[in-house]
């Protein structure tokens, strides 16, 4: 059966069948030797360069006026995809600037247009980005570029249309007619037939494709099995493929359990939940033995512990492994915080203690310090007393935590000035007028939509100035 048709016409797949398909035994792998790792890294880089810069030379819109810039962008992109950038190398800037130079010289190559869209999407309204992707995707599909590059263009197109318009009847007819997901799944099926494709690249493509169907139990399961059926038998001990297997079985486990309270889960649901988590644990444990420096494996083992509940010591072990491998791993910290919520295995006091550690631990960076603000936000959500809720932001210790979190965040991320929007809003809610007045000028050209419109933002500014001037807010 055609790969795309298999995905688009699927009916519900039995979880019992999923267990039988995924739970087959496989031989134990071994960590790669330095020579094996070096060879694998070189093969991945070679494959990425072949499907980007080398493909441009034969399939792209070449022209001496922009070839050097286009090839520079594609070479850097290929190196970034292969995780071959040097420490501190700003690949995004190199790609963006090279693309800009090529386009200014007249380049209309679909891969160059794609890279420019990818790196400028955050600065462009979703609807505009969706329109640009919708124009690009058919051009890319009609080109002679490799299927893997076409797959990602269609996938990004689907994501952008969804971001702009949501699902169902909200999507404009012209975007529905593109059938972006059908094209993406069809291209992915052909991509996975490429025996030169490194397993890490297969993982990345399948992982992203599966995320499209995260909310659909039947389509997710069918997509996973369709991908798995394409994998060469020699991949059964590849860490990345075992990671994908672990992720899928965690997904199957929670689908079987459902999202209700524990007393609403059937015995069959509990049995499948336990069975799938056991399969995931086995796959991820083997993956960690093979590649004990991969933070995503440790993160997924944290998800296994969330379901199995064997104890915080086990959770701490996998959390520490994740952070040792990636000291900026926000998702791992967020999952640890979730684990510490009272509805799971912790308490508000433990949540705050962990959140404060995310601020004070100087080994951690990135967005990790903001976990403390998430802790307070989640604690506030759980409150049932309206008066307590209304007064929560006014507690001095709450604002001190927020201030400490943002101070640390801006210390390690001085370029992330867009986060001053959040800081301003939190300072306003807390009535921290001095900090609010100091932060407002840092917003630059204000995006009023963030605050609910210009009128609401102007009200915030007026109230902050009134307090700064010693005046009183009228009832």
């Amino acid at each position: 059966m055609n790969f795309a048709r298999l995905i688009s016409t699927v009916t519900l797949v039995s979880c019992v069948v999923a267990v039988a398909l995924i739970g087959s035994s496989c031989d134990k792998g071994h960590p790669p030797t330095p020579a094996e790792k070096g060879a694998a890294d070189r093969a991945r880089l070679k494959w990425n360069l072949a499907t980007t810069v080398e493909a441009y030379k034969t399939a792209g819109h070449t022209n001496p006026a922009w070839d050097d810039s286009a090839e520079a962008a594609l070479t850097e992109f290929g190196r970034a995809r292969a995780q071959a950038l040097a420490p501190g190398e700003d690949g995004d800037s190199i790609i963006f600037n090279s693309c800009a130079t090529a386009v200014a010289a007249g380049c209309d190559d679909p891969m160059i247009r794609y890279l420019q869209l990818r790196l400028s999407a955050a600065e462009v309204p979703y609807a505009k980005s969706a329109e640009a992707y919708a124009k690009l995707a058919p051009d890319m599909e009609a080109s002679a570029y490799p299927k893997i590059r076409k797959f990602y263009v269609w996938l990004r197109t689907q994501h952008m249309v969804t971001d702009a318009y949501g699902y169902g009847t909200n999507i404009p007819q012209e975007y529905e007619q593109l059938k972006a997901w059908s094209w993406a799944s069809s291209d992915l099926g052909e991509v996975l037939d490429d025996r030169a494709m490194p397993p890490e690249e297969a993982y990345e493509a399948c992982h992203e494709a599966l995320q499209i169907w995260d909310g659909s139990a039947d389509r997710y399961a069918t997509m996973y099995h369709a991908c798995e059926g394409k994998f060469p038998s020699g991949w059964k001990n590849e860490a990345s493929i075992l990671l994908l297997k672990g992720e899928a079985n965690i997904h199957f486990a929670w689908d079987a359990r459902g999202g209700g309270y524990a007393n609403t889960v059937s015995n069959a649901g509990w049995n499948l939940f336990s069975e799938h988590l056991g399969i995931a644990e086995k796959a991820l444990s083997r993956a960690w033995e093979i590649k004990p420096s991969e933070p995503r494996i440790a993160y997924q083992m944290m998800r296994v512990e969330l379901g199995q509940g064997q104890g915080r010591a086990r959770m701490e072990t996998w959390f520490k492994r994740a952070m040792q491998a990636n000291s900026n791993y926000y998702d791992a910290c967020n999952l640890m915080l979730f684990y510490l919520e009272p509805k799971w295995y912790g308490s508000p006091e433990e949540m705050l203690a962990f959140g404060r550690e995310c601020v004070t631990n100087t080994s951690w960076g990135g967005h990790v310090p903001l976990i403390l603000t998430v802790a307070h936000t989640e604690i506030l959500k759980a409150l049932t007393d309206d008066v307590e809720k209304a007064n929560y932001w006014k507690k001095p210790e709450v604002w001190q935590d927020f201030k400490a979190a943002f101070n640390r965040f801006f210390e390690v991320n001085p370029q992330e000035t867009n986060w001053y929007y959040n800081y301003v809003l939190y300072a306003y809610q807390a009535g921290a007028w001095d900090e609010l007045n100091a932060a407002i000028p840092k917003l630059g050209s204000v995006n009023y939509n963030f605050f609910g419109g210009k009128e609401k933002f102007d009200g915030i500014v007026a109230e902050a100035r009134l307090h700064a001037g010693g005046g009183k807010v009228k009832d």
Side-chain angles (χ1 to χ4, degrees):
M1 181 180 287
N2 177 274
F3 189 89
R5 185 178 297 277
L6 175 63
I7 302 305
S8 61
T9 62
V10 63
T11 56
L12 180 64
V13 176
S14 166
C15 288
V16 175
V17 174
V19 172
L21 287 172
I22 300 177
S24 59
S25 62
C26 63
D27 299 331
K28 201 170 218 180
H30 63 84
T33 65
E36 288 172 333
K37 184 179 185 304
D41 289 346
R42 288 191 296 275
R44 186 177 184 185
L45 176 59
K46 181 180 179 180
W47 185 85
N48 273 287
L49 292 177
T51 59
T52 54
V53 64
E54 295 304 320
Y56 168 79
K57 294 175 181 178
T58 57
H61 298 178
T62 60
N63 188 300
W66 60 72
D67 282 346
D68 286 348
S69 297
E71 290 179 21
L74 292 165
T75 299
E76 191 71 6
F77 175 65
R79 294 179 64 242
R81 286 288 316 176
Q83 299 182 9
L85 299 184
E89 183 175 350
D90 189 355
D92 283 356
S93 293
I94 294 172
I95 295 168
F96 184 82
N97 292 335
S98 298
C99 285
T101 301
V103 170
C107 180
D108 63 348
D109 179 76
M111 266 303 295
I112 296 301
R113 289 161 57 197
Y114 168 65
L115 294 182
Q116 191 172 47
L117 266 178
R118 283 283 286 156
L119 291 172
S120 61
E123 309 300 325
V124 179
Y126 287 151
K128 286 289 186 184
S129 289
E131 182 181 1
Y133 270 105
K135 290 178 181 177
L136 167 64
D139 291 347
M140 187 66 176
E141 186 62 39
S143 78
Y145 271 105
K147 287 291 185 179
I148 185 64
R149 302 303 158 212
K150 298 177 182 181
F151 161 75
Y152 278 117
V153 170
W154 284 115
L155 194 71
R156 306 297 178 221
T157 301
Q158 180 68 51
H159 276 305
M160 194 54 65
V161 169
T162 301
D163 287 344
Y165 300 103
Y167 297 90
T169 56
N170 291 330
I171 298 178
Q173 189 63 27
E174 62 267 28
Y175 295 146
E176 282 282 15
Q177 291 173 349
L178 278 175
K179 300 187 181 301
W181 175 243
S182 294
W183 279 108
S185 58
S186 177
D187 285 343
L188 179 59
E190 292 189 46
V191 164
L192 295 176
D193 287 331
D194 177 7
R195 288 299 173 256
M197 187 182 198
E200 294 84 3
E201 293 295 331
Y203 164 82
E204 296 289 352
C206 294
H207 173 81
E208 290 211 39
L210 286 166
Q211 285 184 316
I212 289 282
W213 301 119
D214 193 55
S216 174
D218 54 340
R219 293 195 173 195
Y220 183 101
T222 302
M223 169 58 77
Y224 174 72
H225 294 310
C227 291
E228 185 192 39
K230 292 272 189 175
F231 296 158
S233 59
W235 281 7
K236 65 183 178 181
N237 286 316
E238 289 289 344
S240 55
I241 302 305
L242 289 166
L243 171 59
L244 189 71
K245 181 176 181 178
E247 291 173 354
N249 275 276
I250 293 170
H251 191 281
F252 298 150
W254 287 101
D255 278 341
R257 182 198 180 281
Y261 289 107
N263 60 5
T264 67
V265 183
S266 67
N267 288 336
W270 280 122
N271 288 338
L272 284 171
F273 181 68
S274 175
E275 193 163 5
H276 280 298
L277 287 181
I279 294 170
E281 181 183 8
K282 274 188 175 181
L284 294 167
S285 295
R286 285 196 298 274
W288 185 258
E289 290 170 0
I290 296 166
K291 194 173 183 180
S293 60
E294 174 52 68
R296 291 173 296 186
I297 299 171
Y299 173 77
Q300 294 300 331
M301 280 299 292
M302 291 173 65
R303 294 183 66 205
V304 169
E305 165 53 25
L306 178 70
Q308 292 179 335
Q310 293 183 13
R312 183 166 175 178
R314 183 186 187 218
M315 187 68 165
E316 291 280 4
T317 293
W318 286 107
F319 171 69
K320 288 176 181 176
R321 288 173 176 174
M323 297 306 290
Q324 285 168 357
N326 178 2
S327 60
N328 296 348
Y329 205 165
Y330 178 89
D331 286 349
C333 292
N334 199 38
L335 182 56
M336 187 70 200
L337 180 70
F338 186 66
Y339 185 86
L340 294 174
E341 289 189 20
K343 65 182 178 184
W344 291 106
Y345 308 104
S347 66
E349 293 75 20
E350 289 172 296
M351 292 172 69
L352 291 175
F354 174 69
R356 288 165 185 149
E357 183 185 0
C358 289
V359 173
T360 58
N361 190 323
T362 56
S363 296
W364 301 343
H367 288 68
V368 169
L370 297 180
I371 288 293
L372 180 54
T373 69
V374 179
H376 277 292
T377 302
E378 293 303 316
I379 290 170
L380 174 60
K381 285 181 185 177
L383 295 178
T384 56
D385 184 275
D386 289 340
V387 174
E388 194 175 2
K389 275 189 172 184
N391 293 328
Y392 189 83
W393 293 108
K394 306 298 183 184
K395 294 179 179 179
E397 64 272 21
V398 172
W399 173 246
Q400 287 306 313
D401 275 350
F402 269 79
K403 186 177 178 181
F406 274 99
N407 283 347
R408 173 63 182 159
F409 173 77
F410 288 126
E411 177 186 341
V412 297
N413 303 283
Q415 75 285 359
E416 296 264 17
T417 54
N418 58 310
W419 278 91
Y420 277 109
Y421 280 85
N422 304 74
Y423 184 80
V424 162
L425 198 56
Y426 289 135
Y428 175 71
Q429 291 173 317
W433 307 113
D434 290 343
E435 289 87 348
L436 177 55
N437 278 298
I440 287 172
K442 298 178 181 179
L443 295 177
S445 180
V446 178
N447 175 7
Y448 298 113
N449 290 335
F450 182 88
F451 299 98
K454 187 176 187 301
E455 185 178 349
K456 289 188 177 180
F457 176 74
D458 288 344
I460 291 173
V461 173
E463 191 170 351
R465 287 175 178 170
L466 184 60
H467 280 82
K472 294 181 179 179
V473 180
K474 294 181 180 179
D475 293 333

